[in-house]
Amino acid sequence: MPDTNGALLWSRSGKELIDRLVNASELSDSEEKFVRACHHYHVARQQDALVNDRLIDLGSEQTAANEYTLSVDTDPRIVAAAQFGSRSQELAIVLYMSAIEVVSLIEAEAPKSCPNCGQGMHRVSARVVDLVHRLMPGVEHEFKYLYGKRSKYLHEGLILTDDSYTGITIPTLDPNSESGVSQRTVPVINMREWVGYMLRQILKTLAESPPSV
């Protein structure tokens, strides 16, 4: 949720959806999918906080004409919680990606059937990339890369070391990789902002469409 002047900005469409949830109103199929995607985002944000919300801003003090001293402290609650979630950034990336996967189901076309066996042919990664391209053109290649990594994490046990490392690395060239280097990172803060923005755009679209339950 964006903020300005220290206050969170809450859209009318967001308030109306929460009112309906609180009042146990019946939701459309698209709204149900959106709420499930928001759950993934919320849990991802919790994991994200263990890494990125440890410092508390204590304010700034002007020490010279154009110089300021920033004072920060650590939040003991988050520092303690982080000791039990050493892979929290990795889990956050997985869940942010899952939120986009779920919301990409909204108004998605039914999968085509295989001409040989008759089973549905699912192109989930293409559906996710298409959605990101429509809402945030220019970053879809990052989601394509991370979706492949996330799938291997879930189905093959691949550890997302490159994506969860927050220090300094010196990438080596790898002509077989899509990026041309052997190490590639997408900060979890970027994922948080990108996915949050796209969820808000989808919520606006849902608010403009009459609910059909």
Side-chain angles (χ1 to χ4, degrees), residues 13 15 45 48 60 78 82 86 112 115 126 130-131 146 149 175 196:
S13 53
K15 179 182 180 300
R45 185 65 185 92
D48 179 352
S60 61
I78 294 182
S86 60
K112 297 179 181 179
D130 289 345
L131 176 66
L146 282 176
K149 297 274 284 188

Side-chain angles (χ1 to χ4, degrees), residues 171-197:
T172 56
L173 296 178
D174 181 1
N176 296 319
S177 72
E178 182 179 352
S179 63
V181 296
S182 61
Q183 295 176 344
R184 179 178 176 183
T185 61
V186 177
V188 70
I189 296 177
N190 287 22
M191 291 295 295
R192 179 207 310 168
E193 296 299 327
W194 291 342
V195 175
Y197 171 81

Side-chain angles (χ1 to χ4, degrees), residues 12-81:
R12 180 185 298 274
S13 53
K15 179 182 180 300
E16 291 175 351
L17 179 60
I18 290 178
D19 285 342
R20 296 179 62 200
L21 288 170
V22 171
N23 295 322
S25 301
E26 189 172 5
L27 301 179
S28 68
D29 180 68
S30 294
E31 289 171 329
E32 290 280 3
K33 291 184 175 72
F34 180 80
V35 170
R36 292 199 294 270
C38 288
H39 171 77
H40 280 322
Y41 183 89
H42 177 68
V43 179
R45 185 65 185 92
Q46 290 177 324
Q47 297 295 320
D48 179 352
L50 297 181
V51 176
N52 296 295
D53 291 6
R54 298 189 194 189
L55 297 181
I56 302 173
D57 182 8
L58 301 180
S60 61
E61 179 182 355
Q62 187 171 3
T63 57
N66 296 312
E67 295 181 0
Y68 292 83
T69 299
L70 301 178
S71 299
V72 296
D73 196 1
T74 55
D75 188 329
R77 302 168 303 167
I78 294 182
V79 171

Side-chain angles (χ1 to χ4, degrees), residues 77-97:
R77 302 168 303 167
I78 294 182
V79 171
Q83 295 176 355
F84 298 95
S86 60
R87 307 300 297 186
S88 56
Q89 193 154 241
E90 187 171 69
L91 294 174
I93 288 177
V94 169
L95 288 165
Y96 282 137
M97 286 298 307

Side-chain angles (χ1 to χ4, degrees), residues 145-165:
Y145 166 76
L146 282 176
Y147 191 87
K149 297 274 284 188
R150 191 213 67 154
S151 296
K152 291 183 178 180
Y153 173 88
L154 294 175
H155 305 301
E156 300 178 23
L158 177 72
I159 303 300
L160 301 181
T161 304
D162 291 348
D163 298 302
S164 61
Y165 184 63

